[in-house]
Amino acid sequence: MRFSGKAWKYGDNVNTDVIFPGKYTYTLTELRDMAAHALEDLDPTFATGVRPGDIIVAGRNWGCGSSREQAVLCLKAAGVGAIIAVSFARIFYRNAINNGLPAIVCPAAVAAIEHGQPVEVDLAVAEIRCPAGVFSFPPFPPSVQRILAEGGLIPYLKRVLAAERL
Amino acid sequence: MGQTFAEKLLARNAGRTSVEPGQVIDATPDLVLSHDNTAAIIRTWRQLGLPRVKHPERLAVVLDHAAPAPTTQHAQNHAEIRQFVAEQGIVHFFDVGRGICHQVLCEEGLIRPGMLVLGADSHSTHYGALGAFGAGIGRSEVAALWATGTLWLRVPESIKIVVSGTPSKWVSAKDVGLYIIGQLGAEAGNYASVELHGETIAQLSMESRFVLPNLMAEMGVKNAWLAPDQVTLEWLRAQTQDTSPELAERFFAGAIYPDPDAHYAAEYVFDVTSLEPQVACPHAVDNVVPISRVAGTRVHQAFLGTCTNARLEDLAVAAQILHGRRVHPGTRLLVIPASARVLRAAVQMGYLDTLLAAGAVIGPPGCGPCMGNHLGVPAPGEVTISTANRNFRGRMGTREADIYLASPAVVAASAVTGRIIHPAELE
């Protein structure tokens, strides 16, 4: 899998309340509605400016706070191809993988990439290409790669359950 | 080499003699929690095409986040959930008004030492107060658990925090928790299992103990653990009205304690003897200062509620402070008990009468305005002082409002003066 787009760069400890406000959690169910409110309380220009394949580049502890899965869904629905961060909060990390959104830990790339620069992520070779150079990251373990390849935990589980029925 | 709480518990759960940090195991939770988000989980689960959930007796569903329903759409979600739990034979279902999920499951005796509890709520770390392993997961993962009963978990590194010293009169578990988060930072416990040790912890009442693992979620922890002891057992006895000797036998048979020579990724020691009440300032839970630094800040709303601090002793301290006093004109005091059981006890003790006489607004047991759904959201430009666990920008519904987090005593005292104040100044 390969994603390329523009970098949207943010800082440390970006929490799920600013990624997807809690007041919408039980009322917005359509993906396009979630996308329209992505990062609403952090960067009001994001939801209208983001293009398919764009990459979020973030500091430490991206996605801390609530377990709400819409924090991942709204970004994916908005077209985000991958998130590169210094580190992720653990529930956000699980939710990202489980919804087929690559969450990549690569502090060197985060330091090198500037807001608005073109970035390419190639999961097959575990590389990030940007104007400052090429950065490698540890490849995902096979179990995670299988979930990402199926587009998330639920499609993956569907396949596993179907195979069990045969 | 010795093992930590998390290593022992996950090894036992996975049927192994030992596990190591970093290892991934297939875990089988004893209890799986979801709340109002159950409606969304049902939609996800239906994609799997299964007729029945695998272990309905291991599921718990509590309606609390937007309860009673503020809009038709919320009501529709609740209706779908009621139909589903009836269809699937989910007996641990607690409808609108019973209280906040974490409080209710503990009160109902569903949480015991040594259990593995996974919940679609980040504050599922709460269950560590009773010696269980409680961790938050996502909605899709709960749908997967409904289907299979198992989920992968990475064995976490463990962090040991030792708290010593007798805090002063107005310093509570909330202040200790905020202080630890302020000192260590919002990411200090990410992916880790935190064990809270020390004389200060052991001397806390059971109600106070719940505050700490709940708050530790704001340090990113996977779970947080306190040693179950006689205090824990007596609390469970009182809640379940089970006086049988078997309760104690099962309690200690299930309990897991770390080995003295267990290995920790980090160890921290805090002495809270001279600690002031602590306040977390906008817009981060680790932005913590002693109260003297923010005293005098004007507050429009004081909120006593949420899974962190809305138990009987929290209402008791508020009633003590508000007795014979009035809430400041221009400030609202909003009190939302953590559960119907807490509310009823507060009525019987006369606390509610005191709070109402002082001008407080009482809300129905549940999460209230904590996450901006209803029942007391602030206007843009307003300041709330709250006993909750989160003060992120926009948390209570508008990005233009400031939220300060503090203990029930500080919130109650600030309601009286309309400004953030040390409760000692009202004595």
Side-chain angles (χ1 to χ4, degrees):
Chain A
M1 276 191 287
R2 194 185 289 188
F3 305 93
S4 62
K6 171 187 144 175
W8 294 79
K9 193 160 180 184
Y10 300 109
D12 295 340
N13 297 317
V14 171
N15 64 74
T16 53
D17 273 297
V18 296
I19 299 173
F20 189 80
K23 61 187 171 192
Y24 301 133
T25 51
Y26 306 115
T27 52
L28 296 185
T29 54
E30 298 299 322
L31 287 173
R32 64 172 182 279
D33 296 334
M34 292 185 200
H37 294 280
L39 291 182
E40 181 169 278
D41 284 346
L42 178 72
D43 177 0
T45 71
F46 177 82
T48 49
V50 66
R51 295 290 172 264
D54 280 0
I55 312 280
I56 287 178
V57 179
R60 308 188 68 83
N61 205 21
W62 173 271
C64 61
S66 160
S67 63
R68 69 188 64 140
E69 205 155 311
Q70 299 97 319
V72 170
L73 294 175
C74 73
L75 297 177
K76 197 178 177 200
V80 171
I83 305 176
I84 305 167
V86 177
S87 63
F88 290 89
R90 62 166 282 273
I91 304 178
F92 187 95
Y93 187 83
R94 293 183 73 102
N95 284 340
I97 301 300
N98 287 335
N99 286 285
L101 179 63
I104 297 161
V105 176
C106 188
V110 172
I113 297 168
E114 288 174 26
H115 187 82
Q117 284 184 334
V119 178
E120 186 177 64
V121 171
D122 190 338
L123 288 187
V125 294
E127 275 181 4
I128 298 163
R129 297 174 201 116
C130 63
V134 177
F135 298 88
S136 296
F137 56 88
F140 290 108
S143 57
V144 170
Q145 283 187 31
R146 282 196 290 273
I147 292 174
L148 286 175
E150 293 291 343
L153 178 65
I154 296 300
Y156 168 74
L157 200 55
K158 257 189 201 167
R159 183 182 287 257
V160 171
L161 290 169
E164 279 175 8
R165 282 191 208 105
L166 291 177
Chain B
M1 195 178 69
Q3 296 180 70
T4 65
F5 166 75
E7 288 154 15
K8 280 189 179 180
L9 185 138
L10 293 176
R12 183 171 82 184
N13 187 277
R16 297 165 187 249
T17 50
S18 68
V19 293
E20 285 178 15
Q23 191 176 342
V24 172
I25 59 152
D26 283 323
T28 307
D30 301 292
L31 197 67
V32 178
L33 160 77
S34 53
H35 44 67
D36 299 44
N37 56 19
T38 305
I41 296 167
I42 293 168
R43 286 173 217 128
T44 303
W45 179 79
R46 293 218 194 275
Q47 294 174 30
L48 297 171
L50 299 168
R52 314 289 305 170
V53 296
K54 189 151 188 185
H55 298 291
E57 74 286 0
R58 294 183 196 164
L59 308 185
V61 175
V62 187
L63 300 185
D64 59 357
H65 271 56
T71 69
T72 308
Q73 196 175 354
H74 290 92
Q76 182 62 36
N77 283 342
H78 290 177
E80 279 173 39
I81 294 166
R82 288 186 191 102
Q83 191 183 347
F84 182 79
V85 296
E87 257 171 39
Q88 296 289 330
I90 296 167
V91 293
H92 302 312
F93 170 63
F94 303 97
D95 211 324
V96 165
R98 177 62 186 85
I100 307 171
C101 55
H102 306 307
Q103 175 72 12
V104 171
L105 298 193
C106 293
E107 284 180 356
E108 292 285 338
L110 292 171
I111 311 294
R112 301 295 168 99
M115 282 176 64
L116 175 62
V117 185
L118 299 179
D121 187 276
S122 55
H123 293 110
S124 300
T125 52
H126 193 89
Y127 307 115
L130 293 173
F133 186 113
I137 56 174
R139 294 176 176 187
S140 295
E141 297 185 296
V142 170
L145 277 166
W146 287 1
T148 67
T150 64
L151 187 68
W152 68 272
L153 284 183
R154 179 182 170 280
V155 178
E157 285 78 18
S158 294
I159 294 174
K160 183 176 185 176
I161 295 177
V162 182
V163 186
S164 66
T166 304
S168 60
K169 181 178 172 187
W170 294 109
V171 173
S172 67
K174 179 63 160 289
D175 302 291
V176 171
L178 288 177
Y179 178 66
I180 292 171
I181 295 168
Q183 292 295 305
L184 300 181
E187 202 199 6
N190 202 4
Y191 300 104
S193 169
V194 162
E195 296 178 10
L196 289 150
H197 295 259
E199 55 184 91
T200 312
I201 307 291
Q203 284 162 10
L204 291 173
S205 70
M206 194 59 236
E207 292 207 337
S208 288
R209 290 183 190 184
F210 283 117
V211 176
L212 290 167
N214 180 290
L215 259 188
M216 286 296 109
E218 306 314 316
M219 229 166 64
V221 306
K222 184 169 208 158
N223 75 297
W225 174 88
L226 273 64
D229 59 11
Q230 206 61 34
V231 172
T232 325
L233 177 61
E234 291 311 318
W235 186 86
L236 262 179
R237 253 195 217 297
Q239 292 297 328
T240 57
Q241 302 192 337
D242 181 349
T243 53
S244 69
E246 292 77 35
L247 178 73
E249 276 170 38
R250 286 200 313 273
F251 180 94
F252 288 109
I256 289 175
Y257 300 89
D259 293 323
D261 60 341
H263 174 76
Y264 294 94
E267 297 192 35
Y268 302 100
V269 179
F270 295 101
D271 186 330
V272 295
T273 308
S274 54
L275 197 67
E276 268 186 62
Q278 304 286 301
V279 179
C281 301
H283 298 281
V285 188
D286 61 352
N287 186 15
V288 176
V289 299
I291 191 165
S292 50
R293 292 261 305 276
V294 286
T297 305
R298 165 95 167 90
V299 295
H300 304 87
Q301 176 166 271
F303 173 36
L304 177 66
T306 82
C307 51
T308 317
N309 272 126
R311 279 170 284 281
L312 194 62
E313 69 174 35
D314 303 321
L315 272 59
V317 73
Q320 181 195 336
I321 289 168
L322 284 151
H323 183 78
R325 295 194 169 99
R326 291 284 303 171
V327 173
H328 193 267
T331 298
R332 288 104 56 195
L333 170 60
L334 179 60
V335 178
I336 302 189
S339 72
R341 200 175 281 185
V342 168
L343 174 55
R344 204 169 160 212
V347 170
Q348 285 164 354
M349 298 296 289
Y351 302 150
L352 235 50
D353 188 55
T354 304
L355 295 170
L356 285 164
V361 182
I362 311 295
C367 303
C370 176
M371 59 184 308
N373 278 312
H374 64 160
L375 293 173
V377 300
E382 286 193 333
V383 177
T384 297
I385 186 157
S386 163
T387 60
N389 43 31
R390 247 171 223 155
N391 62 349
F392 299 142
R393 188 183 278 288
R395 171 76 180 175
M396 293 182 76
T398 170
R399 73 187 305 281
E400 310 304 336
D402 284 351
I403 308 166
Y404 292 82
L405 306 178
S407 71
V410 168
V411 167
S414 303
V416 172
T417 59
R419 296 182 183 278
I420 296 178
I421 189 172
H422 193 307
E425 291 191 39
L426 294 182
E427 287 180 298

